[in-house]
Amino acid sequence: MTSFFHPDDIRSLFSQAMSDMYRTEVPQYGTLIDLVHDVNAATLKADPDLHARLKAADELDRLDVERHGAIRLGTPEELSLIRRMFAVMGMYPVGYYDLSVAGIPVHSTAFRPVEDAALKRNPFRVFTSLLRLDLVEDRALAAKAETILSKRQIVTDGALEMIQTAESQGGLTKSQAVTFVNQALETFRWHAEATVDAQTYNDLVEAHRLIADVVSFKGPHINHLTPRTLDIDAVQAEMPKRGIDPKAVIEGPPRRTADILLRQTSFKALEEQVIFQGEAGHHTARFGEIEQRGVALTPKGRALYDTTLKAARAEASKGEAPYDTCLNTAFADFTDGHDAMRREGLAFFQYRAEGTAPQADSIDDLIASGALIADPQVYEDFLPVSAAGIFQSNLGADDHSNYSANANQDAFETALGAKVTDEMALYARIQNDSLTEALTALGQTHLIAKTKAA
Ligand code: OOG
Ligand code: NI
């Protein structure tokens, strides 16, 4: 019997290979990785409680390797092929993001591991967008773009062969996995030779800079690779000192005692020299980004986040107070602290047992006794409003098209050839399963029924 190389190991190989490739393609990425490494080490040193908590929750190991990337695809066939490629690495489509609301003609999902053990091993994720030519007003241009896209093949023959092998065998051997990773990498590489002439490129830019980025090249070059920091404010402040110029505003929630969801900032990385069928030109495609991840919110917590953010943005748009002030003011009412958020059902936790406890009356009592520990679950996904801000900052603020909200999850899933998983269900399952296991270990099964997460 053949033994297969574990998908988690394939994913780790791949994310490392991708990081190495991006470091040579975009030198500022290397600077950023070093900066994040320094800030994370300093943060852990200055906060022994945080260090102890992350270690106990088995979260320290993943931190140094943790990255997300982003790609933009042109056709339904490309999306379904990429789904099969990521499945070999144990990454599955989670969540649906409609970016048309923000004037960006794409809809997206995140390919990521879904099992708790896989996430702890290496949570590598790729924010994957599919171009929506149906939203392009100039139908002749949309048709031309479709024709151009229909001619490209974004996955090498070697990668396709390994995907098929993995599907028919049920996995890859170690040497097949190495071949697969080397071949898969080619899909995401930058190509300076455009597939279109300068005139076509300019027409596409005219319709939307993003359309030009997707249609003019041989494949879906990885457009950023983002490390996770424990202190985004410190990184943001330090970036200019290392020659990096971040966007003005950090997307997402404000700084809090207990971080929630996701805070992100980005910077323009490169103006690329491009050859448009013999003619020299340039294009901006790749950028840098950093993020800080906090606890995942329940549907109740998320609804509160969405309305609070909306209020902050409405206030900021009046132009009377700086954005940061409006954000902090709006979020002042949002319960802070892990335990308080847990009691109010605002955030998702993962439970574990420590020691033993006499028969208890409630989960809260067990937690107070120290026998039951509630670790905050890391938010593993993305935020549509933040993603829109990231797209806009690197596409150029002048690039504004007004598409109206036009979610079409059915069309996306048809293109994908699969359903996307609901992220809330994943967090709820980890919470419920861990609680059942911990209560069973503590001999407190009478508390299980009372406490199922919604
Ligand atoms: C993706 C932008 C979204 C994030 O972290 O929210 C994103 C893109 O520009 O293709 O990466
Ligand atoms: Ni990103």
Side-chain angles (χ1 to χ4, degrees):
M1 201 193 110
T2 34
S3 77
F4 294 130
F5 201 56
H6 199 285
D8 291 350
D9 294 322
I10 304 180
R11 185 172 64 260
S12 286
L13 267 188
F14 180 77
S15 78
Q16 186 59 51
M18 197 83 133
S19 185
D20 293 344
M21 179 175 86
Y22 204 61
R23 212 183 246 268
T24 61
E25 288 184 350
V26 182
Q28 275 193 323
Y29 170 71
T31 311
L32 189 67
I33 292 292
D34 295 342
L35 169 55
V36 167
H37 185 82
D38 294 350
V39 167
N40 286 356
T43 307
L44 288 170
K45 197 165 169 214
D47 190 346
D49 287 348
L50 177 70
H51 188 279
R53 177 169 78 68
L54 292 181
K55 194 172 163 62
D58 195 15
E59 268 183 46
L60 271 188
D61 289 348
R62 64 178 254 183
L63 192 63
D64 272 344
V65 297
E66 182 156 353
R67 309 270 187 275
H68 86 250
I71 56 169
R72 303 157 182 173
L73 302 170
T75 67
E77 293 71 28
E78 290 177 2
L79 182 63
S80 88
L81 201 48
I82 285 292
R83 170 179 61 76
R84 292 166 60 201
M85 179 186 273
F86 284 138
V88 177
M89 310 177 219
M91 294 161 73
Y92 304 97
V94 177
Y96 172 76
Y97 303 86
D98 169 31
L99 275 305
S100 67
V101 219
I104 300 152
V106 302
H107 44 183
S108 318
T109 191
F111 287 95
R112 68 162 175 92
V114 293
E115 299 295 336
D116 180 44
L119 286 163
K120 294 219 157 89
R121 188 62 217 292
N122 186 328
F124 184 61
R125 353 171 153 71
V126 178
F127 191 88
T128 302
S129 300
L130 175 63
L131 180 62
R132 295 183 68 180
L133 287 172
D134 58 312
L135 298 182
V136 174
E137 244 170 65
D138 181 343
R139 295 317 298 160
L141 187 72
K144 185 170 182 186
E146 206 171 305
T147 306
I148 297 167
L149 286 169
S150 71
K151 293 188 185 130
R152 72 180 191 180
Q153 187 190 338
I154 63 166
V155 173
T156 66
D157 290 337
L160 192 57
E161 192 186 322
M162 284 302 119
I163 293 169
Q164 283 160 348
T165 303
E167 287 170 347
S168 62
Q169 287 180 165
L172 295 178
T173 64
K174 184 164 182 189
S175 75
Q176 287 170 338
V178 170
T179 304
F180 166 77
V181 166
N182 287 332
Q183 292 291 321
L185 205 57
E186 293 307 311
T187 296
F188 306 98
R189 193 183 289 285
W190 171 250
H191 297 281
E193 315 79 44
T195 55
V196 299
D197 58 30
Q199 180 60 47
T200 306
Y201 174 80
N202 289 333
D203 291 347
L204 293 167
V205 168
E206 200 56 39
H208 200 294
R209 192 169 289 276
L210 183 127
I211 301 176
D213 183 53
V214 176
V215 176
S216 311
F217 299 92
K218 287 180 189 155
H221 39 262
I222 179 105
N223 66 44
H224 64 286
L225 209 52
T226 302
R228 174 178 165 203
T229 177
L230 295 172
D231 188 344
I232 197 169
D233 302 287
V235 176
Q236 174 99 345
E238 182 68 20
M239 275 154 81
K241 293 180 208 156
R242 303 209 192 181
I244 301 177
D245 180 23
K247 75 196 268 292
V249 165
I250 294 178
E251 299 286 347
R255 188 182 184 93
R256 293 156 50 90
T257 309
D259 289 302
I260 54 172
L261 299 172
L262 178 61
R263 302 180 68 207
Q264 299 174 302
T265 183
S266 66
F267 58 91
K268 287 185 183 162
L270 282 179
E271 187 171 89
E272 327 270 358
Q273 304 305 312
V274 178
I275 312 291
F276 295 107
Q277 305 200 335
E279 198 179 328
H282 54 82
H283 174 69
T284 47
R286 276 100 55 85
F287 60 98
E289 186 190 43
I290 48 161
E291 65 187 14
Q292 178 169 0
R293 289 185 176 264
V295 68
L297 298 185
T298 59
K300 178 183 170 189
R302 178 55 188 270
L304 184 61
Y305 170 79
D306 288 339
T307 49
T308 308
L309 184 69
K310 207 168 165 191
R313 291 168 71 95
E315 191 57 34
S317 71
K318 292 183 192 161
E320 288 159 15
Y323 180 77
D324 280 358
T325 308
C326 300
L327 194 65
N328 282 312
T329 307
F331 275 89
D333 289 339
F334 197 117
T335 301
D336 200 352
H338 288 136
D339 197 53
M341 285 193 281
R342 186 188 58 75
R343 285 164 187 268
E344 291 180 28
L346 294 172
F348 282 116
F349 291 82
Q350 179 164 21
Y351 293 90
R352 60 192 157 88
E354 198 151 284
T356 56
Q359 176 108 349
D361 291 334
S362 72
I363 299 285
D364 288 351
D365 288 352
L366 269 184
I367 287 178
S369 80
L372 183 65
I373 316 275
D375 293 312
Q377 280 191 51
V378 178
Y379 186 60
E380 308 287 357
D381 295 287
F382 294 86
L383 296 168
V385 175
S386 300
I390 300 288
F391 266 109
Q392 265 145 3
S393 75
N394 62 72
L395 288 169
D398 54 328
D399 220 336
H400 253 40
S401 306
N402 275 324
Y403 306 106
S404 46
N406 200 341
N408 194 344
Q409 187 166 342
D410 282 347
F412 187 83
E413 289 177 334
T414 302
L416 185 66
K419 296 267 182 218
V420 300
T421 300
D422 169 25
E423 68 277 15
M424 293 292 180
L426 295 174
Y427 298 116
R429 190 178 74 200
I430 290 177
Q431 175 162 295
N432 288 336
D433 289 355
S434 65
L435 186 58
T436 300
E437 196 179 314
L439 291 177
T440 306
L442 291 169
Q444 311 274 345
T445 47
H446 62 288
L447 293 176
I448 291 175
K450 289 191 200 172
T451 54
K452 287 289 173 206

